[in-house]
């Protein structure tokens, strides 16, 4: 029983770091404020597509991925 508890406590930090945060910022010249920027990426072998609006020529993506 004690070994199982120690093993569980030892694996806990690995589970906490399973998700990674990201921030992607950029700028687009000559883009109107109605423009959108799209981001395509894979998360757990699943294709994800995200979008954000352009404000004064700048955009930012924030999120988390599993690895």
């Amino acid at each position: 029983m004690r070994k199982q508890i120690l093993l569980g406590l030892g694996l806990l930090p690995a589970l906490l770091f399973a998700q990674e945060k990201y921030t992607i910022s950029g700028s687009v010249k000559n883009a109107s404020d109605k423009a959108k920027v799209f981001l395509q990426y894979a998360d757990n072998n699943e294709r994800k597509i995200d979008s954000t609006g352009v404000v004064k020529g700048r955009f930012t993506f924030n999120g988390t991925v599993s690895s």
Side-chain angles (χ1 to χ4, degrees):
M1 178 72 169
R2 186 175 182 161
K3 287 183 182 180
Q4 292 173 340
I5 292 172
L6 290 175
L7 179 63
L9 290 174
L11 293 176
L12 186 61
L15 296 174
L16 294 175
F17 292 109
Q19 293 188 344
E20 299 288 329
K21 294 183 180 182
Y22 68 87
T23 300
I24 300 173
S25 301
S27 61
V28 181
K29 292 183 181 180
N30 301 324
S32 70
D33 284 345
K34 294 180 182 179
K36 286 195 168 220
V37 177
F38 292 89
L39 174 67
Q40 180 177 322
Y41 61 97
D43 187 19
N44 288 330
N45 294 326
E46 183 179 333
R47 183 182 294 178
K48 306 272 185 165
I49 298 175
D50 195 4
S51 65
T52 188
V54 176
V55 178
K56 296 183 181 179
R58 303 194 53 78
F59 65 90
T60 303
F61 286 99
N62 294 307
T64 58
V65 292
S66 60
S67 61

